[in-house]
Amino acid sequence: MLEIKNLHAKIGDKEILKGLSLTVNAGEVHAIMGPNGTGKSTLASIIAGKEDYEITAGEILFEGQNLLDLSPDARAREGVFLAFQYPVEIPGVSTTNFMKAAVNAKRKHNGQEPIAAKEFLAMMNEKRQLVELDKSYLSRSINEGFSGGEKKRNAIFQMAMLDPKLAILDETDFGLDIDALRIVADGVNKLRNKHNAFLVITHYQRLLNHIVPDYVHIMYDGRIVKTGDKGLALKMEERGYDWIKEEITA
Amino acid sequence: MSFVNNIDTAFESIDKDTLAEVRESALTSFKALGLPSARHEEWRYTNIKTKLPEGLKLGISSESQVASRLKYFNSIEGTKLVFINGAFSAESSVILEQSGLAVGSLKENSSNHPELFAKYFNKATDIAKENFAALNTAFAQDGAFIYLRKNTKVELPVFIFHIYDSAPTDIFTQSRNLIYVEENADITIVEDFQNSIGEKFYNHVSEVFIGRNAEVNYSLLQLHNPNTTSINYIEARLERDARYHVTTVTLDGKLVRNNVNAYMDGENALATLNGLFIGKDTSHIDNHILVDHRVPNCNSHQTYKGVLDDSSTGVFNGKIFVQKDAQKTNAYQSSKAVLLSDEASMNSKPQLEIFADDVKCSHGAAIGQVSKNELFYLLTRGIDKETARGILTYAFAHEIIAAVKLPELRNYLDEKLKQRLNITI
């Protein structure tokens, strides 16, 4: 589904990704771990299409097509979804209206008519229950005045509405208490199936107790330096990142 | 500027109704003032003199062809006063019988209510200083007259439609409203300017007198005004405990100058002045706001929001005067604008002049662009860039519409705003 080959990217003069390669197949959950500042969030932003970065080498293929040729919105319509580390608050736009625009953009792309009001409401109702999001949040402005946990639940709700092929969770556990973490992880687990894939970016192993990955990648200095199964995440938790740094510099 | 050169001849030819004396003095004022140049402080950003073409004539033309495609708010019940090219159209108007309310044409009512005219006509404007108010007072032929007697709560709104259609394009129409609301009365007024075809010029003055503990909700709509050069004055005087909510919504226009002035004459009065303006192409939209706190314990709030695209320009000039006696004044002002293109510009000039020492006054002005983070967020959900910008602009602008009190009007304006921004959410 996703093939990243030797990706190099910089922001200004600073090179952040230095030859990153990664392959994700349908039905898989990949976790990317690593210390701060190694380029994890940059990778997420680049896949989603943020324009602040310059790609200096390499490519990203998504279902065979060059993702870097597509605008962020076109990528989303093709089935890429990013759950932001810091969800944006947008006063004045209700989640309902926002989701209607997003669902209809996807439908238009697939050659479908705009969704009927009744069908849309039923869909909203079903999906919000996945993350135990109260109905009242849907008529409120996007994320405005939401707690950290509510914002992340809203992100998973949006994911459920849009049913992406590839979902990138950028430090979704950041700032969540254990209950919110469980709700978010349960939501993700219910959405997992053999047709979609997840890229879970996290600092800590605890999220991976709930969303169990098939692969764990360790990212350091703009590259993936080690890949293993879920056991690798536990090892990172126990031993920290220093041994990786030593292994690389050795 | 031919109409200025020929002004005496033009004045001789107009119908002066019962107002000859005040018209004479207004003419004298206008002749002394002339048209303001860009050196005039209040017209620095709006060089009106160069925007009024040679050959413009004063007067009205009641010639009219089309009424069918005009938008009369059929879905909203209320009294509807219709002026076509500046002249009252009795056949197009709908006047509902409502006890305590006298409405109709200014021209007709100036002879029906001579005492009221003597006492109030031209008492809210300053023709010694305001060039176009003086011109209007001398030449205005018609407009709306609304007189609400005390203790009357009018449930249905009064609409004032100014329709410009097939009139010649060289007429500088002068229209005039007089609105007098007695104590403890309550009314909603919606004034709508529609120019369906051709280039138009108009200069409109509304005087609004709000009695003790009375309430006036006033909306001025400029939704269908391409090719229109317009100068508007809404002059309101508030007595004790009066409440006044005025909203201007400008969705297009070639040149728009709105002078919205509120004079706090009685204690504990409240004035809310809101405005939304959206410019495209080369439109120029200037909102000149004045709140004059003359007595203690009054509240005023100004909230203006602008969206400027293409090469359009916006002006916000917001004045708050707090006179020496106006202790315990609470005055607030906010002006925000979003620029959607590199060629668009906004001039924002807050002006607070405070002569009392125990007051709360605040102001804020911000000019910015659509947030890149918010835009990216919407894009990542598959919404195309143009729609995403429309949604964010709508989110920014919506606050002004949301504050409109009449629900049917609020919904109507919400739809208009969405259409204007090309979004369907």
Side-chain angles (χ1 to χ4, degrees), chain A residues 73 76-77 97-99 101-103 105, chain B residues 375 378-389 391:
Chain A
D73 48 314
R77 293 191 294 270
N97 283 341
F98 170 45
M99 276 296 103
V103 167
Chain B
L375 189 64
L378 296 192
L379 294 177
T380 62
R381 300 304 182 248
I383 299 168
D384 67 83
K385 202 167 187 171
E386 203 189 333
T387 306
R389 275 164 56 116
I391 290 174

Side-chain angles (χ1 to χ4, degrees), chain A residues 87-108:
Chain A
V88 179
E89 295 188 14
I90 309 185
V93 182
S94 71
T95 298
T96 301
N97 283 341
F98 170 45
M99 276 296 103
K100 198 182 281 171
V103 167
N104 282 333
K106 187 183 165 197
R107 289 173 69 98
K108 190 177 168 191

Side-chain angles (χ1 to χ4, degrees), chain B residues 7 25 48 65 73 94 128 138 142 157 170 191 201 205 256 259 270 311 317 330 347 352 361 366 368 392 396 416 423:
Chain B
I7 201 152
S25 82
I48 189 74
Q65 289 173 342
F73 292 84
V94 180
D142 214 342
D170 60 349
E191 185 158 38
F201 301 85
V205 175
V256 177
N259 303 279
L270 164 70
S311 306
N317 187 307
N330 192 344
N347 299 297
L352 276 59
C361 281
L392 293 175
F396 168 78
K416 283 286 159 196
I423 56 167

Side-chain angles (χ1 to χ4, degrees), chain B residues 72-80 96 156-157 159 161 190 406-413:
Chain B
Y72 288 108
F73 292 84
N74 288 331
S75 58
I76 313 179
E77 206 187 340
T79 281
K80 290 164 188 182
L96 305 177
L156 298 173
F159 289 86
F161 294 102
V190 182
L406 185 66
E408 296 92 339
L409 181 65
R410 191 168 62 235
N411 294 339
Y412 176 85
L413 292 175

Side-chain angles (χ1 to χ4, degrees), chain A:
Chain A
M1 179 182 288
L2 180 74
E3 245 183 299
I4 303 175
K5 295 178 190 168
N6 188 33
L7 190 67
H8 289 255
K10 61 180 190 177
I11 186 163
D13 289 332
K14 195 175 177 222
E15 193 171 30
I16 298 178
L17 299 186
K18 302 173 180 174
L20 184 139
S21 296
L22 173 69
T23 300
V24 177
N25 296 310
E28 294 176 352
V29 173
H30 290 243
I32 297 185
M33 300 180 74
N36 278 331
T38 55
K40 299 190 302 293
S41 283
T42 296
L43 175 65
S45 295
I46 287 174
I47 298 172
K50 197 160 191 183
E51 283 162 355
D52 301 351
Y53 305 94
E54 190 193 337
I55 311 299
T56 51
E59 62 179 354
I60 305 178
L61 298 177
F62 180 68
E63 301 204 301
Q65 65 174 321
N66 190 348
L67 206 59
L68 297 174
D69 288 345
L70 299 180
S71 62
D73 48 314
R75 295 179 199 196
R77 293 191 294 270
E78 289 293 339
V80 176
F81 182 92
L82 171 63
F84 286 65
Q85 181 178 3
Y86 303 105
V88 179
E89 295 188 14
I90 309 185
V93 182
S94 71
T95 298
T96 301
N97 283 341
F98 170 45
M99 276 296 103
K100 198 182 281 171
V103 167
N104 282 333
K106 187 183 165 197
R107 289 173 69 98
K108 190 177 168 191
H109 178 70
N110 295 336
Q112 294 168 287
E113 291 291 306
I115 191 164
K118 204 176 160 189
E119 191 187 340
F120 180 70
L121 282 178
M123 185 177 172
M124 295 261 288
N125 232 352
E126 182 200 328
K127 305 300 184 191
R128 71 173 175 82
Q129 287 173 19
L130 279 178
V131 283
E132 301 172 29
L133 198 62
D134 191 81
K135 204 174 179 175
S136 64
Y137 288 95
L138 305 180
S139 53
R140 283 170 54 182
S141 293
I142 302 167
N143 292 328
E144 193 183 24
F146 286 23
S147 71
E150 288 159 352
K151 286 177 182 172
K152 298 301 169 84
R153 278 151 64 190
N154 192 7
I156 305 304
F157 160 74
Q158 291 172 26
M159 183 195 295
M161 290 293 289
L162 297 172
D163 188 25
K165 292 171 188 157
L166 173 70
I168 305 157
L169 310 184
D170 188 6
E171 308 222 6
T172 293
D173 50 337
F174 180 80
L176 294 192
D177 62 33
I178 193 70
D179 290 328
L181 187 73
R182 180 191 53 75
I183 293 169
V184 163
D186 283 356
V188 169
N189 288 329
K190 285 173 197 156
L191 297 171
R192 283 175 75 163
N193 62 47
K194 63 178 192 285
H195 304 293
N196 62 20
F198 289 81
L199 197 56
V200 181
I201 292 170
T202 182
H203 220 62
Y204 303 103
Q205 193 271 336
R206 64 172 193 164
L207 178 66
L208 305 178
N209 287 334
H210 299 272
I211 304 173
V212 180
D214 301 298
Y215 298 93
V216 174
H217 308 278
I218 308 304
M219 200 167 158
Y220 181 71
D221 196 23
R223 273 188 301 263
I224 286 172
V225 293
K226 203 167 187 64
T227 293
D229 62 10
K230 63 182 178 185
L232 181 59
L234 286 168
K235 194 170 168 187
M236 299 309 303
E237 189 79 355
E238 277 166 29
R239 296 180 56 182
Y241 290 107
D242 285 347
W243 67 278
I244 295 277
K245 294 179 194 171
E246 281 159 23
E247 221 177 82
I248 292 160
T249 45

Side-chain angles (χ1 to χ4, degrees), chain B residues 22 24-34 40 43 122-138 176 233 235 263:
Chain B
V22 63
E24 294 277 358
S25 82
L27 180 69
T28 307
S29 289
F30 179 75
K31 282 159 76 175
L33 293 165
H40 191 303
W43 294 88
N122 203 44
K123 295 300 191 291
T125 59
D126 187 354
I127 55 169
K129 276 191 191 152
E130 292 290 340
N131 316 51
F132 289 96
L135 182 69
N136 185 283
T137 303
R176 180 82 170 215
Y233 288 85
E235 307 266 16
Y263 304 94

